Amino acid sequence: RVWSLESGECVQTLSGHTERVCSVCVSADGKHVVSGSNDATVRVWALGSGECVRTPKGHRNTLNSVCVTNDGKYVVSGADDRTVRVWSLDNGECKYTLRGHTSGVRVVCATADAKHLLSGAGDNHLRMWSLESGKCVRIFKGHANGVTCAYLTLDGKHVVS
């Protein structure tokens, strides 16, 4: 649902997922909403019309987290199938399927400069990936439990998880 902050009213309902929605994100330009669901799909919506414009498919399990890169090029999704997928926002094609986590991916986020993304999972690790190469460039270890949330500072110097 899309809510008006001013009135508190629901101004739009985005219908299409067949199971619970677990994560949503709005593109930096405000034109698209991305949602991820227990139905193992990512959906890209046109915010103005409420139309589902893309449904990239590839995950096999619940989607736990979605984000859109600040440059508006990519949608990133993390799921219980232990993968992170990078999709083109324009055409829905999968650019990368990133593997390395040994448990379900719980959170994904992209750096402000759209050069890297981070993923956290039930395997207690946070991974940093290059959006240029699709390779894991760093693994952050030290959590005693699964990583369920992460936030990148705007200056790109720190991640909090």
Side-chain angles (χ1 to χ4, degrees):
R1 293 183 180 251
V2 180
W3 302 88
S4 166
L5 289 179
E6 187 176 316
S7 70
E9 301 289 322
C10 178
V11 295
Q12 197 170 54
T13 300
L14 307 174
S15 298
H17 284 293
T18 59
E19 294 187 36
R20 179 175 66 100
V21 172
C22 301
S23 183
V24 295
C25 185
V26 177
S27 61
D29 64 7
K31 293 181 181 177
H32 295 95
V33 174
V34 176
S35 57
S37 166
N38 279 356
D39 65 12
T41 65
V42 174
R43 290 187 180 261
V44 180
W45 312 85
L47 187 54
S49 69
E51 175 188 2
C52 181
V53 295
R54 273 175 260 329
T55 308
K57 291 184 170 79
H59 284 292
R60 296 185 321 266
N61 297 92
T62 295
L63 268 92
N64 295 306
S65 185
V66 295
C67 74
V68 180
T69 57
N70 281 345
D71 61 5
K73 289 183 180 179
Y74 301 111
V75 172
V76 181
S77 56
D80 278 349
D81 62 9
R82 300 175 295 175
T83 66
V84 175
R85 293 188 184 248
V86 180
W87 316 88
S88 165
L89 183 61
D90 286 338
N91 61 26
E93 291 181 13
C94 186
K95 180 176 181 175
Y96 300 120
T97 300
L98 308 176
R99 292 181 170 86
H101 286 292
T102 59
S103 186
V105 177
R106 301 288 180 239
V107 62
V108 294
C109 55
T111 57
D113 63 7
K115 291 184 178 180
H116 295 90
L117 63 93
L118 283 106
S119 60
D123 61 9
N124 304 357
H125 296 149
L126 188 66
R127 290 177 174 262
M128 186 165 80
W129 309 85
S130 165
L131 273 170
E132 183 179 325
S133 69
K135 304 284 185 199
C136 181
V137 296
R138 182 161 293 123
I139 301 173
F140 300 87
K141 298 179 180 180
H143 284 278
N145 294 297
V147 180
T148 59
C149 54
Y151 182 83
L152 287 153
T153 59
L154 292 178
D155 63 8
K157 293 182 178 181
H158 299 93
V159 60
V160 180
S161 61

